[in-house]
Amino acid sequence: MILHCPLCHGQFSIEALIQDQAGRDLLVLMAQNGAIGPQLLQYLTLFRSQKRALAFDRALRLAREVLEIPAAPEHLAAAMAETVEALRGRGGKPLKNHNYLKRVLESQPQVAMPAATAAAVPAPEAAPAISKTARAIGRLEGWKNR
């Protein structure tokens, strides 16, 4: 079965996607993050060059990096949408990192996190012995339990 991407207009076989481990992992990641999945897919197209497709393993790595950014899902989705809108028609080189997205996130007004999520995520000042990874996992657990 041949699929046509509505974003990049590329064509690929669903069988090839499923046979590739990174492709399967990317599908699972998108399914688990369904609320921000469309914005994430559009954002990932900014990393694709004009002449080459974005490999599944690179797309998976980039998606994981984006989801590790410490921000509420709705803020992250809005920042990705704003980034795509700002950079879509520039016709330049593909993005190499997430610095532009991070700047967009910093420029957005921050809304206080809900009490349930805030309680699940320890403040960095209160618990300096907890690693960034542990705090990120706590945030993800908080988002999952909403």
Side-chain angles (χ1 to χ4, degrees):
M1 176 189 295
I2 301 295
L3 298 178
H4 300 273
C5 178
L7 302 173
C8 68
H9 305 291
Q11 298 179 1
F12 61 93
S13 166
I14 189 78
E15 292 84 8
L17 176 67
I18 293 172
Q19 289 176 357
D20 185 75
Q21 181 63 42
R24 283 194 306 267
D25 292 345
L26 185 61
L27 280 176
V28 169
L29 186 72
M30 291 298 164
Q32 291 172 342
N33 296 285
I36 64 171
Q39 291 84 5
L40 182 58
L41 281 175
Q42 289 180 350
Y43 175 72
L44 290 176
T45 63
L46 297 175
F47 290 87
R48 181 181 49 85
S49 72
Q50 295 288 338
K51 299 183 182 196
R52 295 187 63 188
L54 187 62
F56 290 131
D57 57 340
R58 182 161 185 242
L60 178 62
R61 181 179 49 82
L62 291 167
R64 286 178 176 160
E65 289 172 357
V66 168
L67 294 174
E68 289 175 358
I69 294 174
E74 58 274 2
H75 291 274
L76 191 56
M80 284 189 289
E82 186 176 332
T83 300
V84 168
E85 186 176 320
L87 299 178
R88 174 74 52 153
R90 66 183 166 86
K93 294 181 180 179
L95 292 179
K96 295 193 183 300
N97 55 43
H98 305 291
N99 291 341
Y100 190 93
L101 176 63
K102 290 175 183 176
R103 284 196 309 249
V104 170
L105 268 171
E106 290 170 359
S107 70
Q108 287 184 337
Q110 296 297 319
V111 179
M113 291 174 39
T117 305
V121 181
E125 302 83 32
I130 296 177
S131 70
K132 287 182 182 179
T133 304
R135 285 195 302 265
I137 290 170
R139 286 187 187 107
L140 289 172
E141 287 295 323
W143 293 337
K144 183 176 99 176
N145 295 330
R146 282 190 197 180

